[in-house]
Amino acid sequence: MSATGWDTEICRDGDAFGRLAGEWTALYRRCATATPFQSHSWLHSWWTSYGAPGRLRVVLVRRAGRLVAAAPLRLVPGPVPVLTHLGGAITDFSDVLLCGELPEEQADEAVRRLTAALYRMARTAVVDLREVRDGAAAHRVYAAWPGPRHRTDDSVCMELPALPIEGLVARLPSARAQRARSKLRRLDRLGIEERAVRPGEVPEALGGLLRLHQRQWEGRGLNPEHLSPRFREHLHRAVIAMVESGDAMLTEFRLDGDVVAADLTLLSPLLSGGYLYGADPRLRSSKADVATLLLRNGARESSTAGRTVLSLLRGRESYKSHWRPHPAVSRRLLMSTRRTGPGLLLRAGYAEARRRAADALRDREWVRRIRRR
């Protein structure tokens, strides 16, 4: 320990990162802005399945031996080397961790030391944090950054207040609320039973979820990564631990004794978010509205656990808009030194061009017609 009681180190070894589980989880529980994607179970499992040896860069700040701030990053080499979050494209939110129990003066010092460590690393790589929620701890690092920086919009996440399903229905216009109640009554008449999966049953239930997910989206634009062995291995490893710790909930829905749908919801003190689901196509022939089925289950969990946000996570799919969610725009935070400033400008320009192209494509009338069909 240093004479000031503060220490900063960079963890570059995956096994050493694995051994941080206990103190990382303690910090995660004390960080009010953290999402489930900052849990050690999710991050370490992702690194085990997706990480490349020699590229781990996890910044750790301790005070009096206790971990009080951390930044889970990895190095991505290339023409413009980048330091970016662990979790990659399958992670909906990224952030750094900052202990929420510190006095403000100590919290400011923890941010300063975390920022200083990142700035030293940024001499050879641009720091590029994707999918940062408003209010996330990473914004404090951005505010304290001494060098070139750039902030732009990233994905849109749809969010609802953490209310029971009756409260969500009450928010709707009368005609839409009437249709929603009709769908709920239809689900009740069908007799679909919901059951939370116990920790020991998670491996088998996850296998069933992935099979249902594949059947549901077959021929309709299934994300190929969801069929990959590495995604399956990551999900099994992470979710088993997260269900045991209360950071995830796996629910099965049964009709006449058969599992016809399954839903994986990730949980944190701040929010719950439906991450992945699968549904038997025969539910459509029964006129069961799967989105309503899943939302009722997620709303129950969120509202009874004291959370404030029921997140529908990334994407503006039409079925989400039926419930009048609030569009929450995540941010992309780019930071560099003067030496790596040109790389920041390149990445910022590329990001802005892609975002504008996506907006233009989304606004074109012929695209809207195809989507309606």
Side-chain angles (χ1 to χ4, degrees):
M1 186 184 304
S2 69
T4 63
W6 291 89
D7 281 295
T8 304
E9 66 171 301
I10 312 297
C11 176
R12 302 169 183 259
D13 177 73
D15 291 338
F17 184 37
R19 292 191 292 271
L20 290 171
E23 59 178 330
W24 189 282
T25 299
L27 172 59
Y28 169 72
R29 302 288 181 214
R30 299 193 302 269
C31 184
T33 61
T35 75
F37 299 105
Q38 280 75 63
S39 70
H40 187 271
S41 298
W42 182 268
L43 293 171
H44 183 253
S45 176
W46 183 90
W47 176 258
T48 301
S49 291
Y50 289 85
R55 297 183 186 172
L56 186 65
R57 302 288 189 275
V58 180
V59 184
L60 306 168
V61 178
R62 292 183 175 89
R63 183 180 185 277
R66 185 176 76 155
L67 187 65
V68 295
L73 304 177
R74 60 193 169 102
L75 175 66
V76 180
V80 179
V82 170
L83 285 162
T84 192
H85 65 285
L86 299 184
I90 64 170
T91 290
D92 288 61
F93 301 122
S94 75
D95 199 3
V96 302
L97 294 180
L98 177 65
C99 178
E101 298 177 357
L102 294 174
E104 192 58 32
E105 183 179 340
Q106 293 180 13
D108 289 343
E109 180 64 14
V111 170
R112 190 190 70 77
R113 288 178 178 271
L114 189 65
T115 303
L118 291 172
Y119 188 79
R120 289 191 293 272
M121 295 163 64
R123 292 170 182 164
T124 55
V126 175
V127 178
D128 187 354
L129 300 182
R130 302 288 308 271
E131 311 298 356
V132 179
R133 283 172 51 85
D134 283 349
H139 289 290
R140 294 188 64 167
V141 173
Y142 184 84
W145 193 260
R149 58 184 183 169
H150 180 80
R151 176 164 48 200
T152 187
D153 292 347
D154 216 334
S155 300
V156 174
C157 295
M158 311 305 284
E159 295 184 350
L160 289 165
L163 299 172
I165 191 66
E166 297 81 7
L168 295 178
V169 172
R171 298 173 65 252
L172 302 177
S174 57
R176 193 177 294 181
Q178 186 175 355
R179 289 194 295 272
R181 292 188 182 99
S182 176
K183 292 175 181 178
L184 289 166
R185 288 193 295 268
R186 174 68 181 170
L187 293 174
D188 292 335
R189 287 195 298 269
L190 287 172
I192 298 176
E193 300 175 349
E194 304 172 7
R195 187 182 75 89
V197 175
R198 293 187 291 269
E201 303 167 331
V202 169
E204 182 179 354
L206 269 178
L209 185 156
L210 290 170
R211 287 190 294 272
L212 286 169
H213 183 72
Q214 182 176 1
R215 289 185 60 193
Q216 174 191 351
W217 291 101
E218 202 162 20
R220 297 194 299 131
L222 174 68
N223 182 348
E225 184 58 32
H226 291 166
L227 301 180
S228 70
R230 64 181 182 177
F231 179 77
R232 187 182 306 112
E233 291 166 3
H234 158 65
L235 209 61
H236 277 74
R237 188 188 305 110
V239 172
I240 289 172
M242 293 174 79
V243 169
E244 289 178 346
S245 63
D247 294 321
M249 178 179 68
L250 187 57
T251 306
E252 289 183 336
F253 303 85
R254 294 176 179 266
L255 180 61
D256 298 328
D258 298 327
V259 177
V260 293
D263 175 59
L264 172 61
T265 299
L266 303 185
L267 310 168
S268 75
L270 171 69
L271 60 79
S272 66
Y275 181 71
L276 190 72
Y277 74 94
D280 193 316
R282 74 182 170 119
L283 279 177
R284 288 198 295 270
S285 63
S286 302
K287 297 183 180 180
D289 190 271
V290 175
T292 302
L293 177 70
L294 300 177
L295 186 66
R296 179 170 65 177
N297 181 63
R300 183 187 303 116
E301 176 63 27
S302 292
S303 60
T304 58
R307 298 179 177 90
T308 57
V309 176
L310 172 58
S311 177
L312 307 180
L313 300 184
R314 286 181 293 183
R316 304 188 191 194
E317 294 86 349
S318 59
Y319 74 87
K320 296 179 181 179
S321 65
H322 295 164
W323 293 91
R324 296 182 68 187
H326 166 69
V329 181
S330 295
R331 313 297 173 182
R332 184 173 186 174
L333 308 180
L334 292 152
M335 296 167 280
S336 72
T337 62
R338 288 187 179 181
R339 179 179 177 183
T340 51
L344 181 147
L345 293 175
L346 284 172
R347 290 193 70 82
Y350 179 68
E352 290 287 356
R354 286 196 63 179
R355 187 175 62 83
R356 290 175 183 174
D359 289 344
L361 186 64
R362 192 162 40 242
D363 290 341
R364 292 179 67 168
E365 178 59 31
W366 66 271
V367 174
R368 290 196 292 272
R369 287 200 300 268
I370 290 174
R371 286 178 174 170
R372 283 197 295 268
R373 292 172 186 169

